[in-house]
Amino acid sequence: MKKFTLIFSGIMIAIGVGAIIEASRYKKYPLSQGFGAGFFPIILGGVIIGLSVILIIQTLVKKDDEKISGLNWESLWRPLVFVICMAGFALLLKPLGLLLNSFWFVAVTMITMGAKWWKSLIIAAVTAAVIYVGFDVLLGVPFPEGILGGVL
Amino acid sequence: MNVFDMYTLGLGNVFRWEVLLMLLLGVLFGLIIGVLPGLSVTMGIAVLTPITFSMDFYSAMAMLLGCYAAGSFGGSITAIVANIPGTNGAIMTTVDGYPMGKNGLAGKAIGIAAIASFVGGFISCIVLSLTSGTIAKFAMDFSAQEYFAVGVFGLSIIAFLSQGSMIKALISGVFGVLLATVGGDAITGSYRFTFGSMQLMDGVPLFPVLIGCFGVAEILRTVSKKPGEIQMVTHVDKVLPTRKEFTHVLPTIASGSVIGTIIGAIPAAGGTIAAVISYGVNKRFSRNPEKWGHGEPRGVAAPEAANNGACGGALIPLLTLGVPGDAVTAILMSSLLFHGVTPGPMLFTTKPAAVSSIFILMFLSNFLFVAIGIAAAKPICKAIRTPVKYLIPIIALLCCVGTFCIKNSTFHLVFLIAAGVVGFLFSKGGIPVTPMILGMVLGNLIETNFRKTLLITKGRFFTIFTRPISSIFMILTILLLFMPGIISLIRKARGKKASATTQENDFDNEVQ
């Protein structure tokens, strides 16, 4: 946990410094405009840096260290597959369209979860059809048509 | 407009078939989400929200409020039959609910939980509808100083009440406020932190981040765990309690409802804290506290009345001040804003129909979930056995499709995934994500009123302490932020004093 907290604090300090540098480029103190666009982000950047420094000191002073549970390959591979599938869903939505994209997404993630492949394919097909009818046909959301555009 | 006209207007808007259908669907969805272990009400509402965008305001609110009220009750069923709280608010229900189930009284426990949840929700709705108008009138006199103070107080109390490190919660909250500064500045109109991106000119999109932090992050957490076998009570018989049983639990339900409503109205306190306090208080004042923990029906009634009582209570600061108290009300606030309804004191004069409709929908949600909960207790119990491996991929797909629907943009999906990963990692590192979301929601209110205050007072910020309401909130904020430090100093001082006394006594003994 200590390592994680220190990395988190480091990232937050970097964000705080970045915010101050970027916000310093905006007009800060024209009183007539109520303390410019950069004024508040600079304060926030400063507060984040200050709090992160306190967190670092607290973490270093603390003697005991809790172990973060579930940060190993066995418990992280499934979340990783889900994230990759979601990224794939975003990338392939335009070329494949809603129906096909929903089908492969549900099928792959369900098999990842340990479901039998044939059950996954059936549920994926039904889910994709329901999602397509619900969102595209009934709610009228203009989803990309993809390669099935001419057929549907 | 008088109260009667206000409610007549609300009734006309709510009693339409499409609104009632959405309410029914919301209640059913909420019950299922509440019943399924690992899926929270917050996640359910986050997933439902984009689906409601294509609906009118009343249908959307019907679906979301139905899910909110029913989900809070649904968690108790899993607590009773499987010893797993379906939602966080049902943690205390497991203590007496599961022993009741093991004693063959699962049906009775579900019935008592349903009635207690109904009464809790109903009383909180009455309090909500009776007090919010008065609070809103009082808040009408708020100026920039008061709004800034209320916003900062809201964030601080959330950080104070968050589990784990308060510093981590504060960093999360301030980071959320920083995210809210991305995009156009409300006062000068100049763009900030957009880095040349057209999409960021509107700011960091709130809904993808909400769905990511509460939906995707929860999915990632669930799939990272090994699915375990659920040990369940299978025998669910008579659900409705007898008159004698009902009279036995009635005082507990009444006190739980009042506790829940009061605790719910405090920002960040929420249903879980309400349930814990209600259980503790009722057990403390019980004539036979030794029975509690071994299947005492009052041990089911107390937390259930409180966690549903908190639902109506949580809407009071949201509707009257425009300050959400927790993750669910933050999502509800975003939905209200999406439909052009700005919560706050002016809402009661500008959109009375919207306010009365929300009150009526909350009342109706309570009637619906208690009816469905009692009538369909047995099939609902079966839903607990539905393996998550079939549900999670469908919910993940709904998160993606729903996020795309917001602006028909794949750019929003990037935020969804990023927020999901951040939410997942935050939870692993013990960093609460709710302060960040509330920071994003409250950021604009805090910044605009902070800068307005500086403008009005010509840079003399400390005049905020000269106005009574803003000074009270600021003093409370300072107390909250420094209280943990002061408490630990007092404890250390006491510890030193105690050890010094012990040493003196030891020395005296040795001398003697």
Side-chain angles (χ1 to χ4, degrees):
Chain A
M1 185 73 97
K2 265 189 178 182
K3 207 174 167 185
F4 184 96
T5 308
L6 291 174
I7 293 170
F8 168 74
S9 308
I11 293 170
M12 281 298 153
I13 288 174
I15 289 172
V17 171
I20 291 173
I21 293 169
E22 176 66 16
S24 303
R25 301 197 298 113
Y26 314 138
K27 286 180 184 173
K28 288 189 289 285
Y29 302 108
L31 201 62
S32 59
Q33 287 179 22
F35 287 80
F39 178 69
F40 194 62
I42 288 176
I43 294 177
L44 294 176
V47 173
I48 289 177
I49 294 170
L51 289 169
S52 303
V53 170
I54 296 172
L55 187 59
I56 289 174
I57 296 167
Q58 271 188 352
T59 313
L60 292 175
V61 168
K62 218 176 179 182
K63 284 173 189 163
D64 50 332
D65 187 17
E66 289 169 48
K67 205 182 169 190
I68 300 178
S69 62
L71 269 191
N72 48 52
W73 176 244
E74 200 188 333
S75 52
L76 280 183
W77 75 269
R78 269 196 217 98
L80 197 65
V81 172
F82 265 74
V83 170
I84 293 168
C85 284
M86 282 181 170
F89 183 90
L91 284 171
L92 297 172
L93 189 58
K94 273 186 188 161
L96 290 184
L98 178 66
L99 196 65
L100 275 184
N101 214 21
S102 302
F103 173 74
W104 80 258
F105 179 86
V106 175
V108 172
T109 49
M110 215 170 260
I111 292 167
T112 308
M113 290 290 289
K116 282 180 183 156
W117 68 267
W118 60 270
K119 270 191 187 175
S120 305
L121 290 181
I122 294 169
I123 296 172
V126 174
T127 308
V130 170
I131 291 280
Y132 176 78
V133 172
F135 282 87
D136 207 326
V137 180
L138 294 177
L139 292 176
V141 181
F143 275 97
E145 290 180 334
I147 50 173
L148 292 179
V151 185
L152 294 168
Chain B
M1 184 183 281
N2 62 32
V3 179
F4 182 76
D5 289 340
M6 192 169 131
Y7 274 92
T8 315
L9 215 61
L11 284 171
N13 288 316
V14 169
F15 281 94
R16 288 183 289 137
W17 73 267
E18 65 268 31
V19 178
L20 295 175
L21 179 67
M22 289 307 136
L23 182 69
L24 178 68
L25 289 177
V27 167
L28 285 173
F29 188 77
L31 277 174
I32 293 166
I33 285 286
V35 157
L36 292 169
L39 307 184
S40 68
V41 184
T42 315
M43 181 206 204
I45 292 182
V47 172
L48 272 189
T49 300
I51 297 170
T52 62
F53 286 164
S54 54
M55 301 172 189
D56 66 48
F57 169 76
Y58 303 100
S59 304
M61 282 299 118
M63 194 171 227
L64 296 176
L65 292 172
C67 176
Y68 182 30
S72 303
F73 157 67
S76 67
I77 299 178
T78 328
I80 291 161
V81 297
N83 202 24
I84 304 165
T87 56
N88 287 341
I91 285 171
M92 295 313 292
T93 314
T94 55
V95 180
D96 281 283
Y98 188 61
M100 274 185 84
K102 280 207 297 189
N103 296 339
L105 297 168
K108 282 275 153 68
I110 293 171
I112 288 168
I115 292 169
S117 299
F118 167 74
V119 177
F122 197 79
I123 288 178
S124 79
C125 285
I126 292 172
V127 175
L128 169 73
S129 52
L130 290 179
T131 58
S132 39
T134 317
I135 297 171
K137 265 186 197 162
F138 170 71
M140 291 268 261
D141 295 331
F142 278 23
S143 67
Q145 281 101 321
E146 279 79 26
Y147 273 114
F148 169 73
V150 168
V152 172
F153 173 72
L155 263 190
S156 315
I157 197 165
I158 285 147
F160 180 73
L161 290 174
S162 292
Q163 286 181 334
S165 160
M166 192 173 101
I167 298 288
K168 283 181 183 174
L170 279 174
I171 295 174
S172 172
V174 180
F175 178 59
V177 180
L178 184 66
L179 285 177
T181 63
V182 175
D185 171 26
I187 292 179
T188 62
S190 53
Y191 290 104
R192 301 179 292 188
F193 305 112
T194 54
F195 307 104
S197 163
M198 290 281 283
Q199 279 111 334
L200 282 176
M201 283 183 171
D202 288 337
V204 174
L206 183 62
F207 284 108
V209 176
L210 277 172
I211 302 166
C213 284
F214 296 120
V216 176
E218 203 162 309
I219 289 168
L220 299 181
R221 273 196 297 273
T222 310
V223 300
S224 70
K225 291 174 200 156
K226 276 184 185 171
E229 190 65 31
I230 297 172
Q231 296 295 320
M232 266 183 59
V233 172
T234 48
H235 182 66
V236 178
D237 56 357
K238 285 176 188 169
V239 177
L240 274 177
T242 60
R243 186 180 283 186
K244 197 182 167 192
E245 286 164 337
F246 181 67
T247 326
H248 177 64
V249 294
L250 191 61
T252 313
I253 292 176
S255 71
S257 306
V258 175
I259 291 169
T261 309
I262 295 167
I263 303 282
I266 301 169
T272 311
I273 295 176
V276 173
I277 292 176
S278 171
Y279 187 91
V281 169
N282 279 293
K283 186 182 173 183
R284 172 75 183 75
F285 291 104
S286 166
R287 279 181 194 162
N288 33 24
E290 70 284 351
K291 283 188 180 174
W292 291 59
H294 303 283
E296 166 62 46
R298 285 174 298 174
V300 174
E304 280 308 307
N307 77 35
N308 270 67
C311 291
L315 291 181
I316 296 173
L318 172 70
L319 294 176
T320 58
L321 303 174
V323 176
D326 57 14
V328 175
T329 44
I331 303 172
L332 285 175
M333 178 168 168
S334 314
S335 286
L336 287 168
L337 290 170
F338 181 88
H339 288 281
V341 177
T342 310
M346 293 304 288
L347 179 67
F348 288 75
T349 43
T350 55
K351 299 230 162 106
V355 177
S356 60
S357 304
I358 290 171
F359 294 161
I360 296 164
L361 285 168
M362 280 299 283
F363 277 116
L364 288 179
S365 306
N366 282 298
F367 281 107
L368 258 182
F369 83 67
V370 74
I372 297 172
I374 288 174
K378 285 178 192 174
I380 290 171
C381 287
K382 281 185 185 165
I384 300 170
R385 283 191 180 275
T386 311
V388 285
K389 63 185 174 191
Y390 297 122
L391 287 169
I392 290 290
I394 297 169
I395 293 171
L397 177 67
L398 275 175
C399 287
C400 293
V401 173
T403 303
F404 182 85
C405 288
I406 300 166
K407 274 199 172 175
N408 300 330
S409 154
T410 44
F411 183 71
H412 278 191
L413 289 171
V414 176
F415 276 99
L416 172 86
I417 299 163
V421 173
V422 167
F424 176 67
L425 291 175
F426 268 31
S427 71
K428 289 284 172 195
I431 303 152
V433 79
T434 308
M436 185 183 91
I437 294 298
L438 285 159
M440 280 184 78
V441 174
L442 292 173
N444 194 30
L445 176 125
I446 294 173
E447 182 186 6
T448 312
N449 289 296
F450 176 62
R451 284 164 67 191
K452 272 185 191 167
T453 302
L454 292 173
L455 188 69
I456 295 163
T457 61
K458 292 182 180 164
R460 289 193 297 272
F461 173 73
F462 287 98
T463 51
I464 208 163
F465 290 98
T466 59
R467 295 174 67 92
I469 298 165
S470 58
S471 60
I472 288 170
F473 279 113
M474 287 309 285
I475 290 166
L476 283 173
T477 305
I478 293 165
L479 280 176
L480 278 176
L481 294 179
F482 291 101
M483 204 185 282
I486 295 166
I487 291 170
S488 72
L489 277 177
I490 293 168
R491 276 187 189 154
K492 271 183 189 170
R494 274 186 187 168
K496 272 184 186 173
K497 213 176 174 181
S499 64
T501 320
T502 323
Q503 277 177 357
E504 268 176 30
N505 289 342
D506 290 347
F507 179 74
D508 290 344
N509 291 340
E510 276 175 31
V511 169
Q512 280 167 5

